[in-house]
Amino acid sequence: MSITAPDPIRPTIRDVARIAGVSIKTVSRVINDQQYVSADKRERVREVMREIGFQPSQAARALAGHRSHQIALICDNPNPWYVYEIQLGVRERCTRDKIRMIAQPYDRASPTLLEDIVALLDQAHPDGLVLAPPACDDARVLGELARRGIPFVRLQPGVRIDEAPAVLIDNERAAFDMTTHLLDLGHRRIGFVVGDRSFAASAQRLAGYIRALGEEAVAVDLDLIRQGQFDVASGEAAADVLLSLPQPPTAIFASSDDMAAGVLAAAHRRGVRVPDALSVAGFDDGPTATIVWPALTTVRQPVRALADAATDLLLAPPADGTPSQRRLAHEVVPRASSAAPPVAQAVE
């Protein structure tokens, strides 16, 4: 590889970045032997430095250590409580290190999605990002961050979770545990409301529901599985279909509390008594779970703690630079919305 040194005669860090086809921050990381640079990029940068005779000066090293002292949170969720809890968890951890949090709304349906995130990176120059669902599984976003060498941590990823630092709960296991709870009460016809398809957690929770039925030798009835969107309206619509079946379910497990609130609304409107004639369960354990009547049996996921842990992993990554995972525990919280089914219906 033969490269002619650019003008001026004394090359700069910007010359190295331009010739190597990488960002200045990537060159900075190579200079300081920092992590988050792939082996091929690291070698390409070093080769360019040798070819053009670049010697890192004190000024270049200062630039290499430059930080904006702010990180960006990319988040999109139809549940305002969920978004607030994530923001609070990130902000609280940032405060401990005197770091500023930038919260960037993420509209997965926007045609300018990637351009909006690129503009944030170019204008705010965050030191790193926390990616909440579904951005944490967006190949375009992950690819751009990897190309730029910007550190990031994925919050609740659903695919390729070993490829980058991540913090998560076991969504599949959590749904398995809740379905098992309903089975243990005696329910055999259990309806399930799936969340928004663009969230990996939706498929994971559906898998947990199906596995729990299988372990109890209960056949999966596709009529009992309805699509939702993680909001109250879709939960109510799904419940209307389920409760209209010739043999309706004795329990409905909605994979978010908001959808479960919709199930309760449909049951109340139809005069179906909860939990005497129908048990209802949700997922999240946010404020909705205790505002509705009866109070909602649900899966508690520690949203704020997840966000805190993701931020901590971003600000204090493992010393060897390898991707790291942290898994937090979930909990099944039984409340008044679930009980044993009517005796006549509690049959296999």
Side-chain angles (χ1 to χ4, degrees):
M1 177 177 177
S2 179
I3 302 172
T4 302
D7 290 325
I9 298 302
R10 183 171 182 173
T12 68
I13 190 173
R14 289 177 174 79
D15 296 322
V16 177
R18 176 175 55 80
I19 296 170
V22 299
S23 68
I24 293 176
K25 184 171 286 188
T26 296
V27 178
S28 300
R29 289 195 174 113
V30 174
I31 292 172
N32 275 335
D33 199 24
Q34 295 174 344
Q35 55 187 327
Y36 301 118
V37 180
S38 65
D40 60 329
K41 283 186 179 179
R42 191 180 298 274
E43 180 55 34
R44 185 161 72 250
V45 168
R46 286 173 174 166
E47 184 177 359
V48 169
M49 290 168 61
R50 288 192 299 269
E51 289 287 342
I52 69 176
F54 173 78
Q55 294 294 327
S57 64
Q58 286 302 110
R61 291 189 180 276
L63 179 58
H66 172 73
R67 298 178 60 198
S68 65
H69 297 285
Q70 55 189 13
I71 66 171
L73 166 65
I74 310 296
C75 187
D76 175 25
N77 193 281
N79 186 330
W81 167 81
Y82 186 88
V83 174
Y84 174 75
E85 285 292 296
I86 288 179
Q87 290 180 347
L88 197 58
V90 172
R91 187 170 68 242
E92 287 177 348
R93 178 60 185 87
C94 284
T95 299
R96 297 201 293 272
D97 277 12
K98 296 184 170 68
I99 300 294
R100 178 184 301 166
M101 178 193 77
I102 305 170
Q104 173 76 16
Y106 172 94
D107 181 1
R108 58 194 179 282
S110 171
T112 62
L113 167 65
L114 188 58
E115 291 84 348
D116 293 342
I117 293 178
V118 167
L120 170 71
L121 300 176
D122 291 341
Q123 294 167 14
H125 303 290
D127 296 324
L129 294 91
V130 173
L131 303 177
C136 60
D137 290 317
D138 191 311
R140 298 169 299 171
V141 175
L142 300 179
E144 181 65 19
L145 294 177
R147 187 184 71 79
R148 290 170 175 252
I150 299 176
F152 62 90
V153 174
R154 303 165 72 197
L155 179 61
Q156 295 278 50
V159 296
R160 302 186 304 277
I161 59 177
D162 295 327
E163 293 184 7
V167 175
L168 64 161
I169 67 166
D170 189 337
N171 276 287
E172 191 270 348
R173 179 69 199 205
F176 172 90
D177 289 346
M178 176 56 77
T179 307
T180 299
H181 170 71
L182 296 172
L183 289 165
D184 288 345
L185 288 174
H187 295 279
R188 289 301 179 267
R189 285 190 63 77
I190 303 172
F192 186 79
V193 186
V194 188
D196 189 320
R197 296 177 189 272
S198 64
F199 288 76
S202 298
Q204 293 168 342
R205 294 171 191 177
L206 174 60
Y209 160 81
I210 292 173
R211 182 165 71 88
L213 294 181
E215 293 202 4
E216 288 295 319
V218 176
V220 176
D221 185 343
L222 296 181
D223 287 340
L224 294 178
I225 301 174
R226 310 306 304 178
Q227 184 63 52
Q229 297 297 325
F230 281 141
D231 59 8
V232 174
S234 66
E236 185 171 3
D240 274 330
V241 174
L242 291 170
L243 295 175
S244 296
L245 292 172
Q247 188 181 358
T250 62
I252 297 177
F253 175 18
S255 52
S256 79
D257 286 350
D258 282 356
M259 293 193 300
V263 173
L264 287 173
H268 294 329
R269 175 165 42 78
R270 289 167 166 265
V272 178
R273 298 180 62 183
V274 178
D276 297 340
L278 176 71
S279 288
V280 179
F283 200 113
D284 285 330
D285 199 30
T288 298
T290 51
I291 290 173
V292 296
W293 180 85
L296 195 60
T297 293
T298 191
V299 173
R300 176 179 296 154
Q301 62 167 330
V303 179
R304 191 184 306 182
L306 285 163
D308 184 292
T311 311
D312 184 69
L313 192 55
L314 180 65
L315 298 177
D320 61 1
T322 58
S324 177
Q325 278 188 24
R326 296 183 190 177
R327 291 181 179 262
L328 276 61
H330 63 273
E331 179 184 359
V332 172
V333 183
R335 293 197 180 98
S337 69
S338 62
V343 176
Q345 300 180 53
V347 294
E348 297 189 16

